[in-house]
Amino acid sequence: MAAHSGLRFLFLALHLAAASAALPLVVNTWAFGKATETAWRVLQMGGSELDAVEKGCAQCEIDQCDGSVGYGGSPDESGETTLDAMIMDGNTMEVGAVADLRRVKNAIGVARKVIEHTKHTLLVGESASLFAVRMGFPYEDLTTSKSLSVYSQWLNQSCQPNYWKNVVPDSSKSCGPYKKAEKVICKEDWTSSQRRISIHNHDTIGMIVIGESGTIASGTSTNGAVHKIPGRVGDSPIVGAGAYADSTAGGAAATGDGDIMMRFLPSYQAVEYMRMGTDPTVACQKVISRIQKYEPKFFGAVICANTTGSYGAACSKTPGFTQFHFMVYSPSLSQPSEQVVDCI
């Protein structure tokens, strides 16, 4: 009996040692290695998981990662760049988020202030910008010569592609202003150009950080869909859609076509799968498959990590998008590691 007890103790000790060796952990969407490194450095300097998520995502805002995060990217129909971001504390389940943020560059920083200085979860639009100024963030122009060029080229192409449907004039051939059409078509097939816009212009930095003790935080930052209708908010700042964190189960973050993904709360669902003991990779695959039942051609990916430091990712295969790249940093790695998964 004593021998069996000793073996159980040894197994438990080995299991705990393996788990602790995998922590802390930083995982983020896409090959945004500098963001990964920044978050890791914050942890190594004694910062909290929330600090690491905030600074890691902010690094992408500064670097204008892929033109899809931060200022100077994804101009909307009026040529303006606006920002969405959220951050979540997996211990307290507090969330801070901003959407349609204008003229303030550090969106994830403002989202953190929503947690720290309000009893709210989500602030939007001009009012979110006013809140940011009260919190000490400066007003800055988010427009650049590059974003103006993207906007100008789009206008010259008769505003193609765009996100309107069932309107006059015909949105597939000309710019607005549009009015609702008398006859509403229930479902319309996207053209190949519209699919290209979804593949290359819905990218987000989503990040999961797990501390040595298993404490989890997550967050996102993006400038949204290029040429979006002003006022559009995607999945990134929506809790459970863009990201989710629960220190008793795991964390997840999503990237892709937010208008589709937010309808399924993929990050929340992935965490709940992990709570039931599902492997992180399988949890990610299950939420992608669930969306595919309704939108087989959607573009998107999810990253997942559980409290022991196991992680995984999955993506939806679509023309031009067959693999998904994401970043990982853990004690077993000497530098940020770019990982790749084949889409399903």
Side-chain angles (χ1 to χ4, degrees):
M1 190 71 176
H4 287 302
S5 298
L7 285 172
R8 281 199 299 269
F9 177 78
L10 178 62
F11 175 78
L12 179 62
L14 289 172
H15 173 74
L16 290 174
S20 63
L23 297 175
L25 175 72
V26 176
V27 187
N28 61 264
T29 56
W30 307 109
F32 300 153
K34 197 171 178 182
T36 320
E37 196 167 7
T38 296
W40 183 260
R41 187 167 60 248
V42 169
L43 287 179
Q44 298 305 300
M45 293 174 64
S48 69
E49 294 79 11
L50 273 181
D51 294 335
V53 169
E54 179 187 352
K55 298 304 181 185
C57 290
Q59 185 67 57
C60 249
E61 293 174 346
I62 294 167
D63 295 341
Q64 300 169 283
C65 288
D66 271 6
S68 62
V69 182
Y71 70 102
S74 301
D76 64 18
E77 277 196 337
S78 64
E80 183 178 12
T81 295
T82 59
L83 308 179
D84 298 342
M86 70 156 282
I87 190 167
M88 183 169 188
D89 185 331
N91 280 350
T92 65
M93 308 306 288
E94 290 179 294
V95 176
V98 289
D100 195 26
L101 182 71
R102 306 173 65 194
R103 302 187 305 282
V104 178
K105 287 184 176 180
N106 185 199
I108 189 78
V110 181
R112 177 80 181 270
K113 291 295 185 286
V114 173
I115 288 182
E116 293 177 340
H117 299 288
T118 82
K119 297 179 182 178
H120 298 311
T121 295
L122 172 64
L123 299 179
V124 302
E126 193 66 37
S127 297
S129 300
L130 291 172
F131 167 78
V133 171
R134 288 180 182 175
M135 293 296 103
F137 295 87
Y139 269 149
E140 298 178 86
D141 190 357
L142 305 188
T143 301
T144 63
S145 57
K146 183 178 179 180
S147 66
L148 285 175
S149 175
V150 170
Y151 178 58
S152 177
Q153 184 177 5
W154 179 71
L155 290 176
N156 291 336
Q157 294 173 346
S158 300
C159 302
Q160 301 306 306
N162 59 62
Y163 293 93
W164 291 90
K165 64 180 183 179
N166 299 318
V167 293
V168 289
D170 185 345
S171 61
S172 69
K173 298 176 182 177
S174 64
C175 298
Y178 305 106
K179 294 189 296 184
K180 65 185 179 101
E182 291 302 317
K183 185 178 181 181
V184 174
I185 303 171
C186 293
K187 183 81 172 179
E188 59 182 59
D189 187 37
W190 277 20
T191 65
S192 59
S193 64
Q194 284 172 313
R195 287 199 186 97
R196 281 198 297 273
I197 195 173
S198 71
I199 292 169
H200 297 293
N201 295 284
H202 286 77
D203 301 346
T204 306
I205 176 143
M207 180 175 283
I208 307 162
V209 173
I210 308 180
E212 288 184 357
S213 63
T215 298
I216 303 176
S218 64
T220 66
S221 184
T222 185
N223 52 35
V226 67
H227 312 313
K228 61 191 174 187
I229 298 171
R232 179 262 188 187
V233 175
D235 67 314
S236 296
I238 306 302
V239 61
Y244 199 74
D246 186 336
S247 295
T248 68
T255 181
D257 188 339
D259 289 295
I260 291 175
M261 297 185 79
M262 69 193 298
R263 302 167 193 169
F264 298 88
L265 297 181
S267 295
Y268 171 78
Q269 188 65 50
V271 171
E272 290 308 300
Y273 283 136
M274 289 187 285
R275 187 190 307 283
M276 294 184 288
T278 304
D279 174 80
T281 298
V282 176
C284 284
Q285 291 171 342
K286 284 169 74 74
V287 298
I288 291 294
S289 296
R290 179 168 170 250
I291 302 173
Q292 286 177 328
K293 290 178 181 178
Y294 297 88
E295 298 285 348
K297 298 178 181 178
F298 94 98
F299 157 68
V302 180
I303 55 173
C304 303
N306 65 21
T307 53
T308 67
S310 295
Y311 61 85
C315 52
S316 178
K317 184 186 291 185
T318 191
F321 184 63
T322 59
Q323 291 185 321
F324 173 58
H325 296 242
F326 65 104
M327 299 300 301
V328 178
Y329 210 151
S330 73
S332 62
L333 302 168
S334 59
Q335 60 186 10
S337 171
E338 184 175 337
Q339 314 264 322
V340 183
V341 293
D342 292 324
C343 297
I344 58 176

